[in-house]
Each structure stands twice: as C-alpha cells, then as structure tokens.
Amino acid sequence: MKAQIENTDSVIPAPALPTTAKVLVNGKAISFDAYTIDGNNYFKLRDLAKVIKDTEKQFDVSWEAENKTINLISGKAYTEIGGEMIPGDGQEKTSVPNTSIILKDGIQVYLGAYTIDGNNYFKLRDIAQAFNIGVTWDQESKTIIIDTSKDYVAE
C-alpha cells in the first residue's frame, strides 16, 4: 500500500448537482445526500464512514479544529456525531474547495474534497482507493455499487 495517496485533480469551485444514480452498499440500496461535481460523484465523508461501519474496510473520522485537520483512521469503527445520513433537499448547491489537512493513519494524503453546506464531500473513488473499497458503475441500471468485500480497481 502506498504511504501517500495523491489526487492530481484540481479542486476549484464548481456547481454541485444532486446525484441521481441509485447506490448499493454491499447489496443494500442506500439513499445518500451526494453530488455530482465536474462529472464525479462526491459523498459526505461521515455518511460513507457510517454505512461501511462494521465491515472489514471501516474507518473513523475525527476533526481537529485547532489545526484544521481531518483524521481518517483505518480499521476503527466510525463514531457517530449526529447528522449522518440526513437526506438532501435535491437542489443544486455551491461547492467550496476544502482546504483542510487530511491525514490517513497519521500520513498526509491529498484528496479532492468540497465543502457543501458545512459538510465535507469527498470524491467517492478517492475514498474507495484510500480504503481499498470496491466501487463499480452499472450503466444499464444507473447504479453505483460499493462493495467492501472487493478491492478497489481504478477506472
């Protein structure tokens, strides 16, 4: 596993459109407050952590306000803080590039992220790569498939 994951996508302000695709997580349909930004799916970080809790790919999320750092901890069950999995309003939003430091298991990683209405949204494939989570797209059914029993495979 790489010590550092880098995302070379530029993270600039862009319209955030509600994601219309269906989402299956380990075979179960889940409704997310997710957005499409520049053709990529962005999911609320804490929502993803919550839905894969108690799987082999689980991770925890914490925030250090004093140094503006998001900590991602592999293998640790997610600690809920409230507000997870709240449905969105289905409206287009304004996204603001997230400038927080992101640490995964104590190592700084570079993941494209946006802040929308005070929440951090990360590119689904970046989080999938960081935690080795299988993600596929079924074009016929317009479904995003997240499978924690599978490894991440680049598009």
Side-chain angles (χ1 to χ4, degrees), residues 1-154:
M1 180 172 194
K2 292 194 241 179
Q4 183 167 317
I5 299 165
E6 293 198 35
N7 181 343
T8 57
D9 293 348
S10 62
V11 181
I12 56 174
L17 304 170
T19 297
T20 57
K22 293 181 272 184
V23 182
L24 293 179
V25 178
N26 296 330
K28 180 180 176 188
I30 306 280
S31 294
F32 284 93
D33 179 25
Y35 293 90
T36 301
I37 302 171
D38 289 333
N40 294 295
N41 293 298
Y42 284 77
F43 283 64
K44 196 181 305 178
L45 181 62
R46 289 186 177 276
D47 288 357
L48 284 170
K50 178 179 174 150
V51 300
I52 66 165
K53 181 179 178 180
D54 299 325
T55 72
E56 61 275 14
K57 308 284 176 77
Q58 70 182 354
F59 64 94
D60 199 12
V61 178
S62 67
W63 168 247
E64 294 177 25
E66 59 279 356
N67 56 8
K68 297 182 180 170
T69 300
I70 298 168
N71 289 296
L72 307 174
I73 301 122
S74 299
K76 184 175 179 190
Y78 175 66
T79 305
E80 292 187 40
I81 62 166
E84 294 88 355
M85 302 307 296
I86 294 176
D89 61 10
Q91 301 298 309
E92 181 176 331
K93 304 288 183 187
T94 301
S95 64
V96 177
N98 183 304
T99 57
S100 300
I101 295 166
I102 304 164
L103 299 178
K104 179 184 177 275
D105 303 326
I107 298 170
Q108 187 168 0
V109 293
Y110 300 92
L111 306 172
Y114 289 92
T115 301
I116 301 171
D117 290 342
N119 292 297
N120 297 310
Y121 289 78
F122 282 73
K123 187 175 176 180
L124 177 59
R125 287 205 171 265
D126 285 355
I127 293 298
Q129 180 182 6
F131 292 99
N132 195 27
I133 300 167
V135 174
T136 55
W137 168 249
D138 183 324
Q139 178 63 36
E140 188 176 319
S141 65
K142 306 279 192 246
T143 302
I144 299 166
I145 301 163
I146 301 170
D147 188 341
T148 61
S149 71
K150 295 186 178 175
D151 291 338
Y152 176 79
V153 176

